Amino acid sequence: MSQRGQALIETAVTLPVLLALFIGFLGAGVAAQAYVDLNTAVYLAAASNVTAYADDMALSKQYAQETFDATVSHDTLLENTQLTCSNNPADYAAGAPVGCQGSGSIAFHRTPLSIIFGDVPLSASATATRSPYRSRRP
Amino acid sequence: MVVAAFLLVTFAAVSAAFHAIQRAMAETAAAAGVQIAASGSPAKPDEPNLAGAFQPTHDLLQSVMFQTDIEPGPANKPCPPKDQIGQAKLEVCAYPDGALVAVTVRGQPNFPIPWITQFLPWDIDVTVEMHAVSYQP
């Protein structure tokens, strides 16, 4: 076999591997980006939750939901996003920590990477503590 | 041929990783800025401190944005579209959005290998929002 033939076979074997590596890198980058976005949205939602007055679960959840929805609305890679914050009234007392969990999926179908990847579920959680003094209603 | 393909894939992978780091930092920086903006200032504790968002956002962005100008955008307004922001420049804009406060980081950062920037459409456009703090005195 000539050297040209050998080079052709080597190229044919190596190129798909390199292409798979490249697509893998891109997919990992997109997934990391989506996870950072979801994590930030949940973190800010928890931070908003504890800026409502103490012992007002409805208002706290409203603040968290508004913050979460507004932040993920700017993201084109996330869809089916949901936020849940604690249902325990004791978590809404002044000085108490409250936890929130967010979930969603990476919308690979909106990118050319959909030929390789399906939509991937993601989740993130965050905890914030309400101010012991300033959160009391005046 | 294989060597060229290998170099191309390596460069693309490094570029993608670098962009992912820059965008993640932009998200983190905007989140830091929006918390300041939503919290009020000592002089006006019952109003969002929109001007206060820039400095913490700038300080975090600076560590990963090489030779990129990071400037405040128009006061209390959303950033202009990407094509109106020059090369190697990022704008940080804080503005009210109803009961919420938004911070946007938008623009195209410089790339460590300068002439390549114009061939990479990987710009930054990140917006985060947070409900304004309600229980200030």
Side-chain angles (χ1 to χ4, degrees):
Chain A
M1 184 182 291
S2 71
Q3 281 192 338
R4 283 188 64 185
Q6 185 182 346
L8 200 66
I9 291 170
E10 283 177 359
T11 305
V13 170
T14 316
L15 271 185
V17 175
L18 289 175
L19 197 64
L21 272 176
F22 176 57
I23 292 172
F25 276 127
L26 279 184
V30 168
Q33 187 171 315
Y35 179 73
V36 168
D37 291 351
L38 182 67
N39 202 39
T40 303
V42 176
Y43 166 73
L44 288 175
S48 289
N49 183 308
V50 299
T51 64
Y53 287 115
D55 301 314
D56 194 337
M57 189 196 295
L59 188 66
S60 301
K61 285 188 171 185
Q62 179 195 327
Y63 283 7
Q65 193 68 53
E66 286 176 1
T67 295
F68 182 78
D69 290 344
T71 299
V72 296
S73 73
H74 297 285
D75 196 301
T76 53
L77 287 173
L78 286 172
E79 64 179 13
N80 303 323
T81 50
Q82 283 187 324
L83 178 77
T84 19
C85 292
S86 168
N87 285 319
N88 182 0
D91 292 344
Y92 293 84
V98 62
C100 293
Q101 288 82 40
S103 62
S105 58
I106 310 171
F108 274 117
H109 67 265
R110 293 181 192 161
T111 72
L113 294 171
S114 61
I115 53 170
I116 306 287
F117 302 102
D119 290 357
V120 178
L122 281 180
S123 64
S125 62
T127 302
T129 302
R130 200 172 304 278
S131 166
Y133 307 109
R134 295 176 65 215
S135 63
R136 294 178 198 278
R137 271 191 197 278
Chain B
M1 175 88 172
V2 172
V3 171
F6 175 77
L7 288 176
L8 190 67
V9 168
T10 304
F11 174 73
V14 169
S15 303
F18 194 73
H19 175 71
I21 291 170
Q22 286 187 321
R23 196 189 175 285
M25 184 54 88
E27 185 91 18
T28 304
V34 79
Q35 289 180 85
I36 301 293
S39 300
S41 65
K44 293 181 180 175
D46 54 348
E47 288 180 21
N49 180 17
L50 297 175
F54 177 70
Q55 201 56 48
T57 308
H58 172 272
D59 292 347
L60 283 170
L61 285 172
Q62 207 173 21
S63 57
V64 292
M65 304 294 177
F66 299 100
Q67 297 174 336
T68 301
D69 291 331
I70 304 164
E71 297 177 1
N76 303 351
K77 288 180 182 171
C79 287
K82 277 179 260 187
D83 53 3
Q84 292 179 22
I85 301 172
Q87 287 273 332
K89 185 179 172 188
L90 288 176
E91 289 199 358
V92 178
C93 311
Y95 56 96
D97 181 15
L100 289 92
V101 173
V103 169
T104 299
V105 176
R106 184 177 290 166
Q108 186 166 27
N110 209 356
F111 201 71
I113 308 168
W115 61 269
I116 287 174
T117 307
Q118 59 191 303
F119 301 111
L120 292 176
W122 287 349
D123 42 32
I124 304 273
D125 189 359
V126 166
T127 300
V128 296
E129 300 203 31
M130 185 176 179
H131 203 286
V133 175
S134 60
Y135 57 69
Q136 292 148 351

